[in-house]
């Protein structure tokens, strides 16, 4: 198998400048030096787990560009770019489009009336499009993507503003298991996902640390904090747990998985 490639965007201009989710409190100061240090540490933890990291240049007008998960959805060499819900992030669409075009991807757009926030809310899993809607992304966007990529949609509705993307409350693991926070979903048992994953619930404590926003590289699962009970669960599954503290990014509602998108 070829080496995993991950896309990140450096945090030179990262800050909490507006509030588009309950984690973002206007006026919150980000310690930029600490954020840069945490981002570098996440990057090297990902590299040590065996992935190659590519970097989209930052842009001073878009503090949330650092959350590359939201750039779009990638299926082999095809990319469908996000249609952001909020005006504050819409300018990122062109920046990500240009990066993917410059790097040899076939880039397309979905109809602009369908809001869609990339790997935040959807990913390709074998012949399935696994996704969530209701807060940032629209159901119609997910159905459009499934149709375009000829995938079977397996999609669920989110229940809470605090867990506004699928990747804030669900992460699938290389063992065939997945961790999830039941209260984040309208169907708390996530019954439509049960045939695809062995579902393991996380506690409210873990959910609030964004435990499900962990990055998976090969057999390594990189969690955003040491203070996560699910770390022991992961180790019992025979996976390697690592921690990359990204506390400055939690001020914007994002953790490890929000800061990356897998390119292959
Ligand atoms: N401040 C960003 C926003 O609200 C955080 C995005 C986090 N990304 C994610 N994939 N969950 O849009």
């Amino acid at each position: 198998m070829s080496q995993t490639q991950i896309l990140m965007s450096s945090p030179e201009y990262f800050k909490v400048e507006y509030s588009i989710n309950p984690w973002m409190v206007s006026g919150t100061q980000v310690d930029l030096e600490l954020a840069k240090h945490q981002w570098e540490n996440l990057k090297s933890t990902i590299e040590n787990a065996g992935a190659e990291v590519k970097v989209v240049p930052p842009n001073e007008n878009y503090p949330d560009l650092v959350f590359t998960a939201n750039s779009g959805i990638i299926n082999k060499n095809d990319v469908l770019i996000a249609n952001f819900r909020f005006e504050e992030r819409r300018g990122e669409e062109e920046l990500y489009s240009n990066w993917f075009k410059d790097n040899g991807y076939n880039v397309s757009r979905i109809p602009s009336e369908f809001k869609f926030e990339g790997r935040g809310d959807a990913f390709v899993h074998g012949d399935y499009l696994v996704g969530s809607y209701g807060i940032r992304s629209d159901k119609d966007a997910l159905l459009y993507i499934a149709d375009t990529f000829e995938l079977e949609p397996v999609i669920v509705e989110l229940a809470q503003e605090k867990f506004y993307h699928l990747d804030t409350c669900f992460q699938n693991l290389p063992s065939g298991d997945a961790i999830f926070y039941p209260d984040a979903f309208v169907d708390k048992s996530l019954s439509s996902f049960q045939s695809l994953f062995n579902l393991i619930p996380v506690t409210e404590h873990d959910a609030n640390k964004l435990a499900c926003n962990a990055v998976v590289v090969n057999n390594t699962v990189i969690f955003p904090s040491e203070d996560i009970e699910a770390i022991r669960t992961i180790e019992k599954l025979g996976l390697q747990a690592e921690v990359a503290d990204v506390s400055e990014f939690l001020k914007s509602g994002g953790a490890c998985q929000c800061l990356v998108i897998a390119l292959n």
Side-chain angles (χ1 to χ4, degrees):
M1 218 181 86
S2 61
Q3 189 186 20
T4 307
Q5 293 184 335
I6 300 263
L7 184 64
M8 297 178 71
S9 179
S10 46
E12 276 87 330
Y13 305 109
F14 173 64
K15 57 185 158 189
V16 178
E17 192 176 55
Y18 45 78
S19 176
I20 57 172
N21 71 52
W23 302 78
M24 302 176 88
V25 179
S26 296
T28 298
Q29 287 301 311
V30 165
D31 179 338
L32 189 58
E33 284 317 304
L34 180 57
K36 286 183 193 167
H37 173 79
Q38 291 178 339
W39 185 90
E40 288 295 345
N41 181 48
L42 174 64
K43 179 171 178 283
S44 52
T45 308
I46 290 169
E47 288 166 340
N48 289 338
E52 179 193 354
V53 176
K54 301 194 173 193
V55 180
V56 183
N59 183 295
E60 62 180 329
N61 298 318
Y62 299 102
D64 277 344
L65 188 72
V66 73
F67 298 112
T68 55
N70 300 123
S71 57
I73 184 163
I74 304 165
N75 185 33
K76 303 187 181 87
N77 209 41
D78 296 321
V79 184
L80 290 168
I81 298 290
N83 286 334
F84 283 96
R85 168 85 43 196
F86 294 105
E87 179 61 36
E88 287 86 341
R89 295 198 65 183
R90 287 197 190 129
E92 296 177 36
E93 295 166 12
E94 192 187 344
L95 301 173
Y96 286 129
S97 274
N98 292 342
W99 188 90
F100 282 109
K101 282 180 197 157
D102 292 346
N103 285 274
Y105 289 83
N106 301 319
V107 174
S108 314
R109 302 303 308 256
I110 67 174
S112 58
E113 66 270 28
F114 299 159
K115 297 305 166 216
F116 171 61
E117 299 203 352
R119 172 64 181 87
D121 272 322
F123 61 95
V124 179
H125 182 73
D127 295 333
Y128 300 93
L129 178 78
V130 176
S132 72
Y133 63 91
I135 297 182
R136 293 294 187 85
S137 298
D138 293 331
K139 187 175 187 177
D140 283 341
L142 301 174
L143 297 175
Y144 180 93
I145 293 162
D147 194 50
T148 305
F149 286 160
E150 297 180 351
L151 299 167
E152 175 89 22
V154 182
I155 60 180
V156 294
E157 187 175 0
L158 295 176
Q160 287 191 40
E161 290 285 336
K162 188 166 187 189
F163 300 100
Y164 55 94
H165 283 139
L166 183 64
D167 70 2
T168 63
C169 48
F170 177 90
Q171 178 60 284
N172 59 311
L173 302 168
S175 51
D177 303 282
I179 51 173
F180 78 112
Y181 180 48
D183 283 356
F185 297 93
V186 170
D187 170 12
K188 295 189 199 319
S189 68
L190 225 44
S191 51
S192 49
F193 283 8
Q194 280 167 11
S195 61
L196 296 182
F197 310 102
N198 174 44
L199 297 170
I200 303 174
V202 302
T203 59
E204 184 181 359
H205 165 91
D206 277 10
N208 286 326
K209 303 273 174 190
L210 287 180
C212 296
N213 205 259
V215 176
V216 175
V217 179
N218 301 317
N219 270 334
T220 302
V221 185
I222 306 166
F223 286 99
S225 160
E226 255 168 41
D227 182 17
I228 286 177
E229 294 155 5
I231 291 177
R232 259 169 295 137
T233 314
I234 295 294
E235 287 169 342
K236 280 192 206 133
L237 295 171
L239 301 168
Q240 169 82 27
E242 296 288 344
V243 172
D245 188 333
V246 288
S247 57
E248 289 308 294
F249 298 94
L250 261 77
K251 295 176 177 173
S252 189
C256 301
Q257 170 54 48
C258 299
L259 291 164
V260 312
I261 188 165
L263 291 169
N264 53 353

